Amino acid sequence: MFMDFFRINRFPKISKVKIDMHSHIIPSIDDGSKSMESSLEILEYMSKVGYKKIITTPHTMSDKYPNSTYTILRGLEGINKALTGKNIDIKMEVASEYYMDDEFVNRLNIDDILTMGDDKYILFETSYNFKPMYFEEVVFKMISKGYRPILAHPERYKYILNPKKDFLRFKKLGIYLQLDINSLGGHYGKLAKKHAKILINLGIVDFIGSDVHYKKQVSFLEKIFTTREYHKIFLKNKILNDTL
Amino acid sequence: MSNKEEFGDDDEIDLKEIFRTLSLYKYFIIFCMVLFGILAFIMAYFKSNVYTTHMTMEIGILGTVKSGNDIVSKAISQSAEVNPDTEMEILKSRTLMAEAIALIDISHRYYKTNNMKEIELYEDNAPFDVNLTKGFNIKFDILPYDTGHYRIKNKTLNINFIYKYGEEVKDNNFKFTITLKKDRSIQPKEIYSFEVMDFDKSVYLGQKNLKIKVAGTYTTIIEITKVDKVAERAPKIANALANAYIKRNIKKRTMEASKTLSFVDIELNKITNELKTASLNLENFKKNIKTVNFDTKSEIIMKRLGDIEIELSKLNIELSMVESLYSRIKVSKNMESILINGLFSNDIIPLSNIITILQQYRIKLETLKIDYTKDYPEVIKLQKEIKETKNILKSMVKNFRRNLLDRKKILKKSIKKEQYLIEKLAENEQIYHKLEQKFILNEKIYSYLLEKKASSLIAKASTVSRNRILDRANIAKKTGPNRTLIIIIGIFLGFIIGAMIAFVRGFIDDRIKNIEHIKKATNGVILGLVPSVKDMDKNENIGSLIVYDYPRSSFTESFRNIRSNLKFMMKSNSSKVLTITSTISGEGKTSISSNLAGIMSLTQKKVILINLDMRKPTLHLKFNLPNNRGISSVLSGYQVLKDVIQVTSNPYLDIISSGAIPPNPSELIHSEKMEEVIEELKNKYDIVMLDTPPSGLVTDAQLLMRISDAVIYVIRANYAKKEFLKNIDILSKDESISGFSIILNAVDNKDTGHGYGYGYYED
């Protein structure tokens, strides 16, 4: 309690980056926001803590969240429509958090991919428990095709057994690494928190994301913003969020 | 599969293996720790308190009366030097303890039982006294009966009697009286016991837990440590031991003095006698030779001898002259010319007188001859006179010579005598000196012994111990048992034993447990791991699949991963036939194939799953469908294919159950019809999945593998044996089999090394 109080006085409850590039705000399209109302609440809150632009990233996962470029773009349209007339100063964009599976490979083959930024960044994730057999091949394919792969929340994969070694391997392969801010608060467990710190100390974090699914997570974010650990990210790493 | 680089070194794996084993058996290890902890607790509770006391003693202090350093005193006194090691052994000896125990009485032992725990009491603390004359070393229990009576019990002797206090308890084996002490009573529910030990057992008790050591390397201080169950008894025994030791030392030293004394006495007696004899001999000798002054006496003899010799030489001269005289006289010539000089002794004077007369006659005759003739009477007369005188002279010389010879003889005899005397004198002198020496020696020894006797008498009178107690043993302090330590050791031992058993079990466990075991034995592609489904299992048989019911479970996720991996592996679009097999039945082949078929059908692929394990029809149960018609019916020609295809709740997934159990399942699989069926299905479906019989039992699966585009070999963790991997490795290298891969099924969380839980896939 005392430490919380201490922290609150130290740093403001404001995000140090203006652009968030990982969230699930389009309603009823994945496990994120359940309704348009809650989506708007989240956006209002996000705006309040200092975000100017949200690149929201619904899941694309063959059987569980069978989204497509079409469904996602339609969702963005819906959000923008709902935002008009509301006094929320935030800009919406979309990409997707692609689950690395055979369908993703198919999409990649036909370049049916939603990217972010001018540099064609692809945000992707893998199974939490099992590293795909073809992981490195697919990464190679993405890079070869001119994309820049961003691995979402590397700190949260349980198949990472030798964090330092494995993370550096990712970097060597040409992968950009995106940290979930809430990992620092232990929101995703002890292991994620531990690995997050390792990533920060290695100085290999490229992006930070809110990975917001519901409003409560924004208040968690607020707390993290006041911590020393959050500020340390920027001391040790070159964060590319605001280049998007 | 991703590069091996990401799985760390072999050493790390071994360490992981250890932790894995430990965590696998953690409940067993905890059980062992609890068990041993409890055992240790019980042990610690029942273990009696022990008390320790210390005392120190200085040994080999030099006494006030010091015996001499000469050989004799060393010879007659016992070892003068003190060796601490020797003294230690003496202190440890049973004999000394027996002497110590004789000084005190520790034969009575009393016990009190409280909360099932027996505590030994000091005899003063027992409420009663025992006077025992028979029945040593037997432990009796005393239980209160009423104020005046008590109950006596002994299980081995099978006795259980009630007696009055003060009454004699008698039997063939024992005889004793128990009296209550003043103002003491045995409370109800209290149980006492007693035992009266015989002397040997008391000595044994005295020696038990007795430690004796030298306090330092260069000191002669000995430390005695006694540990006992009764606090008061420990110092009692230790002090008694020290006292006995000192007592024995004094005794030994007194004995030494007495020994010296008696020796001295005996010697003194001998010497006195010898001295007496020596002085008597000397005296007698002196008497016999009448002199003690050998020098004077020999001088006199020598002088005398000289005189005699001078006389003898004189005599010899005289004799030689007489001899010449005698020889001349014998021939009777010129007798008148004989000269008698001063060399002759006076004895010769008459002889010279006669010669003078003879000479005067001769002169007279000569004068007469001038004037007268021979016949002149005067001449004749004179001639006659001369003749007579000559005869006188002749006889005189003869006598004189004889005289001289006699004297010479006497003188020679005297010399001989004197010479003998001298010889005799030297001999006597030697004897005298010998006797004198003997006398003096005896006299010396005598006086020494007298002195020794005096000092020994003083020593005997003033013997003190050469050992001294520095610190007496005080009331013993409680030194044990360290109950906490016992419990900690117990728990630790439990951990060690538990862990050892776990390792042994892990070591002798020949089952495949984790992916590392597979990787060690084969290079076959590992398609994925499937976690064990314990709580989800219940739903398995009621017609639905886990991949449908729990889309966010790690189980489903693993299938999603397998699907992707498989898709990636079967690159060509023509890949259609997928065989799923295992070494033995029960490895989860059917569960894997149905769930895999399920997850594949979710991607809008038309999938058909055929159960070819016709000996064990189980597939229809998963989908809650009938099994009256199935593949066996088609292969044996009783049915047509389209009639046995059953639809499931998922429009993309159809199944063909195994059908009635045929008499010849292998023949059916090896038939041409089989291939026809597959070809037909390939046209209708995107994926044809074959659930085969176990490959370890029959060759059916191998045939099916060869006509498939991909093969999934299911290994059930903690079930399949490691030896199965040999065959799996052979299959993985078989070039006639394409797309061979392995799925490790029913992996426990702790065995994956991934640490995933049921944690549903979140966000």
Side-chain angles (χ1 to χ4, degrees), chain A residues 31 59 61-64 99 101-102 125 127-131 133-134 136-137 158 161-162 165 188 213, chain B residues 1 3 5-6 8 12 525-526 529 554 557-558 560-561 563-565 567-568 602 753-754 756 761 763:
Chain A
D31 60 341
H59 287 292
M61 194 172 176
S62 52
D63 58 298
K64 206 157 92 180
Y99 183 87
D101 57 10
D102 49 302
E125 63 173 337
S127 158
Y128 279 88
N129 295 320
F130 311 98
K131 188 176 177 185
M133 271 165 62
Y134 43 83
E136 295 194 3
E137 281 183 62
K158 285 160 186 165
L161 297 178
N162 302 301
K165 205 169 169 184
Y188 305 107
H213 287 66
Chain B
M1 195 72 202
N3 54 333
E5 209 184 306
E6 291 175 44
E12 283 176 49
V525 177
I526 294 161
L529 310 171
S554 60
E557 210 210 323
S558 86
R560 208 171 277 129
N561 183 55
R563 181 188 65 198
S564 300
N565 289 347
K567 187 75 191 274
F568 207 78
L602 288 179
H754 292 271
Y756 59 80
Y761 176 82
D763 306 337

Short mmCIF file of all heavy atoms in Angstrom, two decimals, chain A residues 31 59 61-64 99 101-102 125 127-131 133-134 136-137 158 161-162 165 188 213, chain B residues 1 3 5-6 8 12 525-526 529 554 557-558 560-561 563-565 567-568 602 753-754 756 761 763:
data_model
loop_
_atom_site.label_atom_id
_atom_site.label_comp_id
_atom_site.label_asym_id
_atom_site.label_seq_id
_atom_site.Cartn_x
_atom_site.Cartn_y
_atom_site.Cartn_z
N ASP A 31 -12.49 -12.55 -28.36
CA ASP A 31 -12.74 -12.62 -26.92
C ASP A 31 -12.61 -11.25 -26.26
O ASP A 31 -12.55 -11.15 -25.05
CB ASP A 31 -11.78 -13.63 -26.27
CG ASP A 31 -10.33 -13.24 -26.48
OD1 ASP A 31 -10.06 -12.45 -27.40
OD2 ASP A 31 -9.46 -13.75 -25.74
N HIS A 59 -8.27 -11.00 -32.95
CA HIS A 59 -7.64 -12.30 -33.24
C HIS A 59 -8.05 -12.79 -34.61
O HIS A 59 -9.20 -12.64 -35.02
CB HIS A 59 -8.11 -13.35 -32.23
CG HIS A 59 -7.53 -13.17 -30.86
ND1 HIS A 59 -6.21 -13.38 -30.59
CD2 HIS A 59 -8.11 -12.83 -29.69
CE1 HIS A 59 -5.99 -13.17 -29.30
NE2 HIS A 59 -7.13 -12.81 -28.72
N MET A 61 -7.83 -16.55 -36.14
CA MET A 61 -7.43 -17.89 -35.71
C MET A 61 -8.41 -18.84 -36.35
O MET A 61 -9.62 -18.74 -36.11
CB MET A 61 -7.58 -17.93 -34.19
CG MET A 61 -6.93 -19.07 -33.53
SD MET A 61 -7.07 -18.70 -31.75
CE MET A 61 -6.38 -20.16 -31.11
N SER A 62 -7.93 -19.73 -37.19
CA SER A 62 -8.78 -20.48 -38.12
C SER A 62 -10.13 -20.94 -37.56
O SER A 62 -11.17 -20.55 -38.07
CB SER A 62 -8.01 -21.67 -38.69
OG SER A 62 -7.46 -22.42 -37.63
N ASP A 63 -10.14 -21.74 -36.50
CA ASP A 63 -11.45 -22.23 -36.08
C ASP A 63 -12.08 -21.44 -34.96
O ASP A 63 -13.29 -21.31 -34.90
CB ASP A 63 -11.37 -23.72 -35.72
CG ASP A 63 -10.39 -23.99 -34.63
OD1 ASP A 63 -9.17 -23.69 -34.87
OD2 ASP A 63 -10.77 -24.46 -33.56
N LYS A 64 -11.26 -20.87 -34.09
CA LYS A 64 -11.82 -20.21 -32.91
C LYS A 64 -12.32 -18.79 -33.22
O LYS A 64 -13.44 -18.43 -32.86
CB LYS A 64 -10.78 -20.18 -31.80
CG LYS A 64 -11.41 -20.12 -30.43
CD LYS A 64 -10.47 -20.63 -29.35
CE LYS A 64 -9.68 -19.46 -28.80
NZ LYS A 64 -8.74 -19.90 -27.75
N TYR A 99 -2.87 -15.73 -35.38
CA TYR A 99 -2.42 -16.94 -34.70
C TYR A 99 -1.65 -17.76 -35.73
O TYR A 99 -2.14 -17.99 -36.84
CB TYR A 99 -3.63 -17.73 -34.20
CG TYR A 99 -3.30 -18.97 -33.41
CD1 TYR A 99 -3.08 -18.90 -32.03
CD2 TYR A 99 -3.25 -20.22 -34.02
CE1 TYR A 99 -2.80 -20.03 -31.29
CE2 TYR A 99 -2.97 -21.36 -33.30
CZ TYR A 99 -2.74 -21.26 -31.93
OH TYR A 99 -2.48 -22.39 -31.20
N ASP A 101 -0.91 -20.47 -37.66
CA ASP A 101 -1.35 -21.82 -38.00
C ASP A 101 -1.36 -21.95 -39.52
O ASP A 101 -0.90 -21.05 -40.24
CB ASP A 101 -2.72 -22.14 -37.39
CG ASP A 101 -3.80 -21.15 -37.80
OD1 ASP A 101 -3.52 -20.32 -38.70
OD2 ASP A 101 -4.90 -21.20 -37.22
N ASP A 102 -1.88 -23.06 -40.00
CA ASP A 102 -1.83 -23.30 -41.44
C ASP A 102 -2.64 -22.27 -42.21
O ASP A 102 -2.27 -21.85 -43.30
CB ASP A 102 -2.31 -24.72 -41.76
CG ASP A 102 -3.61 -25.05 -41.07
OD1 ASP A 102 -3.65 -24.98 -39.81
OD2 ASP A 102 -4.59 -25.37 -41.76
N GLU A 125 0.85 -14.20 -33.10
CA GLU A 125 1.08 -14.93 -31.85
C GLU A 125 1.13 -16.41 -32.18
O GLU A 125 0.83 -16.82 -33.31
CB GLU A 125 -0.04 -14.65 -30.84
CG GLU A 125 -1.40 -15.13 -31.31
CD GLU A 125 -2.50 -15.03 -30.27
OE1 GLU A 125 -2.17 -15.00 -29.07
OE2 GLU A 125 -3.68 -14.99 -30.67
N SER A 127 0.66 -20.57 -30.30
CA SER A 127 0.09 -21.30 -29.16
C SER A 127 0.90 -20.95 -27.91
O SER A 127 2.11 -20.74 -28.00
CB SER A 127 0.19 -22.80 -29.46
OG SER A 127 0.15 -23.52 -28.26
N TYR A 128 0.23 -20.92 -26.76
CA TYR A 128 0.94 -20.58 -25.54
C TYR A 128 1.82 -21.72 -25.06
O TYR A 128 2.87 -21.50 -24.47
CB TYR A 128 -0.03 -20.19 -24.42
CG TYR A 128 -0.50 -18.77 -24.57
CD1 TYR A 128 -1.59 -18.45 -25.35
CD2 TYR A 128 0.23 -17.75 -23.96
CE1 TYR A 128 -1.98 -17.15 -25.51
CE2 TYR A 128 -0.17 -16.43 -24.12
CZ TYR A 128 -1.27 -16.14 -24.91
OH TYR A 128 -1.63 -14.84 -25.06
N ASN A 129 1.36 -22.91 -25.33
CA ASN A 129 2.04 -24.06 -24.76
C ASN A 129 3.01 -24.74 -25.71
O ASN A 129 3.95 -25.37 -25.26
CB ASN A 129 1.02 -25.09 -24.30
CG ASN A 129 0.16 -24.54 -23.17
OD1 ASN A 129 0.68 -23.86 -22.29
ND2 ASN A 129 -1.12 -24.81 -23.23
N PHE A 130 2.71 -24.65 -26.99
CA PHE A 130 3.53 -25.41 -27.93
C PHE A 130 4.09 -24.49 -28.98
O PHE A 130 3.37 -23.73 -29.63
CB PHE A 130 2.69 -26.49 -28.62
CG PHE A 130 1.88 -27.30 -27.66
CD1 PHE A 130 0.54 -27.01 -27.43
CD2 PHE A 130 2.47 -28.35 -26.97
CE1 PHE A 130 -0.20 -27.74 -26.53
CE2 PHE A 130 1.72 -29.09 -26.07
CZ PHE A 130 0.39 -28.78 -25.84
N LYS A 131 5.38 -24.58 -29.14
CA LYS A 131 5.97 -23.79 -30.20
C LYS A 131 5.71 -24.50 -31.53
O LYS A 131 5.99 -25.70 -31.65
CB LYS A 131 7.48 -23.68 -29.96
CG LYS A 131 8.14 -22.71 -30.90
CD LYS A 131 9.60 -22.57 -30.56
CE LYS A 131 10.25 -21.66 -31.57
NZ LYS A 131 11.69 -21.58 -31.35
N MET A 133 5.99 -26.19 -34.99
CA MET A 133 7.14 -26.84 -35.60
C MET A 133 7.77 -25.98 -36.70
O MET A 133 8.96 -25.96 -36.90
CB MET A 133 6.69 -28.15 -36.26
CG MET A 133 6.72 -29.34 -35.35
SD MET A 133 5.77 -30.69 -36.06
CE MET A 133 6.65 -31.02 -37.55
N TYR A 134 6.90 -25.28 -37.39
CA TYR A 134 7.30 -24.55 -38.59
C TYR A 134 7.57 -23.07 -38.28
O TYR A 134 7.64 -22.25 -39.19
CB TYR A 134 6.19 -24.66 -39.64
CG TYR A 134 4.83 -24.48 -39.01
CD1 TYR A 134 4.32 -23.20 -38.80
CD2 TYR A 134 4.09 -25.57 -38.58
CE1 TYR A 134 3.11 -23.01 -38.18
CE2 TYR A 134 2.86 -25.38 -37.94
CZ TYR A 134 2.38 -24.10 -37.74
OH TYR A 134 1.20 -23.92 -37.11
N GLU A 136 10.05 -21.09 -37.45
CA GLU A 136 11.12 -20.33 -38.10
C GLU A 136 10.91 -20.21 -39.60
O GLU A 136 11.26 -19.20 -40.21
CB GLU A 136 12.48 -20.96 -37.76
CG GLU A 136 12.77 -20.84 -36.26
CD GLU A 136 14.20 -21.11 -35.88
OE1 GLU A 136 15.02 -21.34 -36.79
OE2 GLU A 136 14.50 -21.07 -34.67
N GLU A 137 10.28 -21.26 -40.17
CA GLU A 137 10.01 -21.22 -41.62
C GLU A 137 9.01 -20.13 -41.96
O GLU A 137 9.16 -19.39 -42.94
CB GLU A 137 9.45 -22.57 -42.09
CG GLU A 137 10.53 -23.61 -42.26
CD GLU A 137 9.96 -24.91 -42.79
OE1 GLU A 137 9.43 -24.91 -43.93
OE2 GLU A 137 10.04 -25.90 -42.06
N LYS A 158 4.63 -20.24 -22.70
CA LYS A 158 5.15 -21.17 -21.68
C LYS A 158 6.19 -22.12 -22.24
O LYS A 158 6.83 -22.83 -21.50
CB LYS A 158 3.98 -21.94 -21.07
CG LYS A 158 3.21 -21.04 -20.10
CD LYS A 158 1.83 -21.54 -19.83
CE LYS A 158 1.08 -20.52 -18.97
NZ LYS A 158 -0.35 -20.78 -18.97
N LEU A 161 11.74 -21.94 -22.39
CA LEU A 161 12.36 -22.58 -21.24
C LEU A 161 13.66 -21.90 -20.85
O LEU A 161 14.03 -21.86 -19.69
CB LEU A 161 12.62 -24.06 -21.52
CG LEU A 161 11.37 -24.90 -21.79
CD1 LEU A 161 11.76 -26.34 -22.10
CD2 LEU A 161 10.42 -24.86 -20.60
N ASN A 162 14.36 -21.37 -21.84
CA ASN A 162 15.60 -20.63 -21.56
C ASN A 162 15.40 -19.21 -22.07
O ASN A 162 15.82 -18.88 -23.18
CB ASN A 162 16.78 -21.27 -22.27
CG ASN A 162 16.96 -22.71 -21.85
OD1 ASN A 162 17.15 -22.99 -20.67
ND2 ASN A 162 16.86 -23.62 -22.80
N LYS A 165 18.15 -17.03 -23.89
CA LYS A 165 18.62 -17.66 -25.12
C LYS A 165 17.53 -17.61 -26.21
O LYS A 165 17.80 -17.24 -27.37
CB LYS A 165 18.94 -19.12 -24.78
CG LYS A 165 19.93 -19.78 -25.67
CD LYS A 165 20.29 -21.09 -24.98
CE LYS A 165 21.08 -21.98 -25.90
NZ LYS A 165 21.34 -23.27 -25.25
N TYR A 188 -0.58 -11.52 -15.95
CA TYR A 188 -0.57 -12.80 -16.67
C TYR A 188 0.28 -13.86 -15.96
O TYR A 188 0.75 -14.81 -16.56
CB TYR A 188 -0.05 -12.60 -18.11
CG TYR A 188 -0.84 -11.57 -18.87
CD1 TYR A 188 -0.31 -10.32 -19.14
CD2 TYR A 188 -2.14 -11.87 -19.29
CE1 TYR A 188 -1.04 -9.38 -19.82
CE2 TYR A 188 -2.89 -10.91 -19.97
CZ TYR A 188 -2.34 -9.66 -20.24
OH TYR A 188 -3.07 -8.73 -20.90
N HIS A 213 -8.71 -6.08 -23.38
CA HIS A 213 -9.92 -6.82 -23.77
C HIS A 213 -11.15 -6.20 -23.14
O HIS A 213 -12.23 -6.27 -23.66
CB HIS A 213 -9.82 -8.28 -23.35
CG HIS A 213 -8.86 -9.09 -24.16
ND1 HIS A 213 -7.51 -8.86 -24.14
CD2 HIS A 213 -9.06 -10.12 -25.02
CE1 HIS A 213 -6.91 -9.73 -24.94
NE2 HIS A 213 -7.84 -10.51 -25.50
N MET B 1 10.51 -29.50 -36.88
CA MET B 1 10.66 -29.12 -35.48
C MET B 1 11.75 -28.07 -35.35
O MET B 1 12.71 -28.04 -36.12
CB MET B 1 11.06 -30.36 -34.67
CG MET B 1 10.90 -30.20 -33.17
SD MET B 1 9.19 -30.18 -32.68
CE MET B 1 9.28 -29.35 -31.13
N ASN B 3 14.94 -25.94 -33.98
CA ASN B 3 16.29 -26.44 -33.74
C ASN B 3 16.48 -26.84 -32.28
O ASN B 3 15.88 -26.27 -31.37
CB ASN B 3 17.32 -25.38 -34.14
CG ASN B 3 17.02 -24.07 -33.45
OD1 ASN B 3 15.88 -23.80 -33.12
ND2 ASN B 3 18.03 -23.27 -33.25
N GLU B 5 18.83 -26.32 -30.42
CA GLU B 5 19.51 -25.28 -29.66
C GLU B 5 18.69 -24.75 -28.48
O GLU B 5 19.20 -24.38 -27.45
CB GLU B 5 19.76 -24.12 -30.62
CG GLU B 5 20.96 -23.27 -30.31
CD GLU B 5 21.01 -22.11 -31.28
OE1 GLU B 5 20.98 -22.38 -32.51
OE2 GLU B 5 21.06 -20.98 -30.82
N GLU B 6 17.40 -24.79 -28.69
CA GLU B 6 16.55 -24.16 -27.69
C GLU B 6 16.24 -25.04 -26.50
O GLU B 6 15.48 -24.66 -25.63
CB GLU B 6 15.24 -23.71 -28.35
CG GLU B 6 15.50 -22.56 -29.29
CD GLU B 6 14.28 -22.17 -30.05
OE1 GLU B 6 13.21 -22.11 -29.43
OE2 GLU B 6 14.39 -21.94 -31.26
N GLY B 8 18.61 -26.35 -24.47
CA GLY B 8 19.69 -26.37 -23.48
C GLY B 8 20.61 -27.56 -23.64
O GLY B 8 20.44 -28.39 -24.52
N GLU B 12 22.00 -29.72 -18.33
CA GLU B 12 20.80 -29.05 -17.82
C GLU B 12 19.63 -30.01 -17.79
O GLU B 12 18.85 -30.05 -16.87
CB GLU B 12 20.45 -27.86 -18.71
CG GLU B 12 21.33 -26.66 -18.46
CD GLU B 12 21.00 -25.55 -19.42
OE1 GLU B 12 19.81 -25.25 -19.54
OE2 GLU B 12 21.93 -25.02 -20.04
N VAL B 525 10.04 -37.25 -36.16
CA VAL B 525 9.46 -35.93 -35.94
C VAL B 525 8.41 -36.02 -34.83
O VAL B 525 7.57 -36.91 -34.84
CB VAL B 525 8.79 -35.42 -37.23
CG1 VAL B 525 8.12 -34.08 -36.99
CG2 VAL B 525 9.81 -35.32 -38.34
N ILE B 526 8.51 -35.12 -33.87
CA ILE B 526 7.49 -35.10 -32.82
C ILE B 526 6.47 -34.03 -33.18
O ILE B 526 6.75 -32.83 -33.19
CB ILE B 526 8.11 -34.87 -31.45
CG1 ILE B 526 9.00 -36.08 -31.11
CG2 ILE B 526 7.04 -34.72 -30.39
CD1 ILE B 526 10.01 -35.84 -30.06
N LEU B 529 2.50 -32.66 -28.30
CA LEU B 529 2.21 -33.30 -27.03
C LEU B 529 0.73 -33.09 -26.74
O LEU B 529 0.20 -32.03 -27.01
CB LEU B 529 3.01 -32.65 -25.90
CG LEU B 529 4.50 -32.47 -26.09
CD1 LEU B 529 5.06 -31.61 -24.96
CD2 LEU B 529 5.19 -33.81 -26.13
N SER B 554 -6.09 -26.31 -22.94
CA SER B 554 -4.76 -26.59 -23.49
C SER B 554 -4.78 -27.87 -24.32
O SER B 554 -3.99 -28.03 -25.25
CB SER B 554 -3.73 -26.70 -22.36
OG SER B 554 -4.09 -27.74 -21.50
N GLU B 557 -5.94 -26.79 -27.60
CA GLU B 557 -4.88 -25.99 -28.20
C GLU B 557 -3.77 -26.86 -28.77
O GLU B 557 -3.21 -26.58 -29.83
CB GLU B 557 -4.30 -25.03 -27.17
CG GLU B 557 -3.79 -23.76 -27.83
CD GLU B 557 -2.63 -23.16 -27.08
OE1 GLU B 557 -2.63 -23.22 -25.83
OE2 GLU B 557 -1.71 -22.65 -27.76
N SER B 558 -3.50 -27.95 -28.04
CA SER B 558 -2.46 -28.84 -28.53
C SER B 558 -2.89 -29.50 -29.84
O SER B 558 -2.07 -29.71 -30.74
CB SER B 558 -2.10 -29.86 -27.46
OG SER B 558 -2.96 -30.97 -27.52
N ARG B 560 -4.90 -28.12 -31.99
CA ARG B 560 -4.82 -27.05 -32.99
C ARG B 560 -3.39 -26.96 -33.52
O ARG B 560 -3.14 -26.85 -34.72
CB ARG B 560 -5.22 -25.74 -32.31
CG ARG B 560 -5.84 -24.73 -33.23
CD ARG B 560 -6.40 -23.57 -32.43
NE ARG B 560 -7.73 -23.85 -31.91
CZ ARG B 560 -8.10 -23.70 -30.64
NH1 ARG B 560 -7.24 -23.25 -29.75
NH2 ARG B 560 -9.33 -23.95 -30.26
N ASN B 561 -2.48 -27.06 -32.56
CA ASN B 561 -1.06 -27.02 -32.91
C ASN B 561 -0.67 -28.22 -33.78
O ASN B 561 0.02 -28.07 -34.78
CB ASN B 561 -0.25 -26.99 -31.61
CG ASN B 561 1.22 -26.88 -31.86
OD1 ASN B 561 1.65 -25.95 -32.54
ND2 ASN B 561 1.98 -27.81 -31.33
N ARG B 563 -2.67 -29.94 -35.64
CA ARG B 563 -3.30 -29.75 -36.96
C ARG B 563 -2.43 -28.87 -37.85
O ARG B 563 -2.14 -29.19 -39.00
CB ARG B 563 -4.68 -29.11 -36.79
CG ARG B 563 -5.41 -28.89 -38.10
CD ARG B 563 -6.67 -28.09 -37.89
NE ARG B 563 -6.35 -26.73 -37.43
CZ ARG B 563 -7.22 -25.92 -36.84
NH1 ARG B 563 -8.46 -26.33 -36.60
NH2 ARG B 563 -6.87 -24.71 -36.47
N SER B 564 -1.96 -27.76 -37.26
CA SER B 564 -1.12 -26.85 -38.04
C SER B 564 0.17 -27.52 -38.46
O SER B 564 0.61 -27.41 -39.59
CB SER B 564 -0.79 -25.60 -37.23
OG SER B 564 -1.97 -24.96 -36.88
N ASN B 565 0.77 -28.20 -37.51
CA ASN B 565 2.03 -28.88 -37.80
C ASN B 565 1.84 -29.92 -38.90
O ASN B 565 2.67 -30.06 -39.79
CB ASN B 565 2.56 -29.56 -36.54
CG ASN B 565 3.09 -28.56 -35.52
OD1 ASN B 565 3.27 -27.39 -35.86
ND2 ASN B 565 3.29 -28.99 -34.30
N LYS B 567 -0.51 -30.01 -41.14
CA LYS B 567 -0.80 -29.34 -42.40
C LYS B 567 0.51 -28.90 -43.06
O LYS B 567 0.71 -29.02 -44.26
CB LYS B 567 -1.68 -28.11 -42.11
CG LYS B 567 -2.20 -27.39 -43.34
CD LYS B 567 -3.32 -28.21 -43.98
CE LYS B 567 -3.68 -27.68 -45.36
NZ LYS B 567 -4.66 -26.59 -45.34
N PHE B 568 1.37 -28.44 -42.20
CA PHE B 568 2.63 -27.95 -42.70
C PHE B 568 3.51 -29.08 -43.22
O PHE B 568 4.25 -28.94 -44.17
CB PHE B 568 3.35 -27.21 -41.57
CG PHE B 568 4.28 -26.17 -42.10
CD1 PHE B 568 3.78 -24.95 -42.54
CD2 PHE B 568 5.64 -26.39 -42.15
CE1 PHE B 568 4.62 -23.99 -43.03
CE2 PHE B 568 6.50 -25.42 -42.65
CZ PHE B 568 5.99 -24.22 -43.09
N LEU B 602 -13.13 -28.68 -38.22
CA LEU B 602 -13.52 -27.32 -37.86
C LEU B 602 -12.99 -26.29 -38.86
O LEU B 602 -13.44 -25.16 -38.87
CB LEU B 602 -13.02 -26.96 -36.44
CG LEU B 602 -13.75 -27.64 -35.27
CD1 LEU B 602 -13.14 -27.20 -33.95
CD2 LEU B 602 -15.25 -27.29 -35.29
N GLY B 753 7.66 -30.30 -18.81
CA GLY B 753 8.69 -29.29 -18.70
C GLY B 753 8.20 -27.95 -19.19
O GLY B 753 8.89 -26.96 -19.15
N HIS B 754 6.97 -27.92 -19.62
CA HIS B 754 6.42 -26.66 -20.11
C HIS B 754 5.62 -25.96 -19.04
O HIS B 754 5.40 -24.78 -19.10
CB HIS B 754 5.51 -26.92 -21.32
CG HIS B 754 6.27 -27.38 -22.50
ND1 HIS B 754 6.80 -26.51 -23.41
CD2 HIS B 754 6.60 -28.62 -22.91
CE1 HIS B 754 7.42 -27.21 -24.35
NE2 HIS B 754 7.32 -28.49 -24.06
N TYR B 756 2.53 -25.98 -18.41
CA TYR B 756 1.21 -25.41 -18.68
C TYR B 756 0.19 -26.13 -17.83
O TYR B 756 0.34 -27.28 -17.47
CB TYR B 756 0.84 -25.51 -20.16
CG TYR B 756 0.82 -26.93 -20.68
CD1 TYR B 756 -0.25 -27.77 -20.47
CD2 TYR B 756 1.90 -27.39 -21.41
CE1 TYR B 756 -0.24 -29.06 -20.94
CE2 TYR B 756 1.92 -28.67 -21.88
CZ TYR B 756 0.84 -29.52 -21.65
OH TYR B 756 0.86 -30.76 -22.12
N TYR B 761 -6.98 -21.14 -22.43
CA TYR B 761 -6.39 -20.18 -23.33
C TYR B 761 -7.10 -18.86 -23.13
O TYR B 761 -8.32 -18.76 -23.24
CB TYR B 761 -6.55 -20.68 -24.76
CG TYR B 761 -6.07 -19.72 -25.78
CD1 TYR B 761 -4.71 -19.65 -26.07
CD2 TYR B 761 -6.94 -18.86 -26.42
CE1 TYR B 761 -4.27 -18.76 -27.00
CE2 TYR B 761 -6.49 -17.96 -27.35
CZ TYR B 761 -5.15 -17.91 -27.64
OH TYR B 761 -4.70 -17.01 -28.56
N ASP B 763 -7.37 -14.58 -23.63
CA ASP B 763 -7.10 -13.38 -24.45
C ASP B 763 -6.68 -13.75 -25.86
O ASP B 763 -5.50 -13.72 -26.15
CB ASP B 763 -6.05 -12.49 -23.82
CG ASP B 763 -6.45 -12.15 -22.40
OD1 ASP B 763 -7.67 -12.22 -22.08
OD2 ASP B 763 -5.57 -11.84 -21.62
#
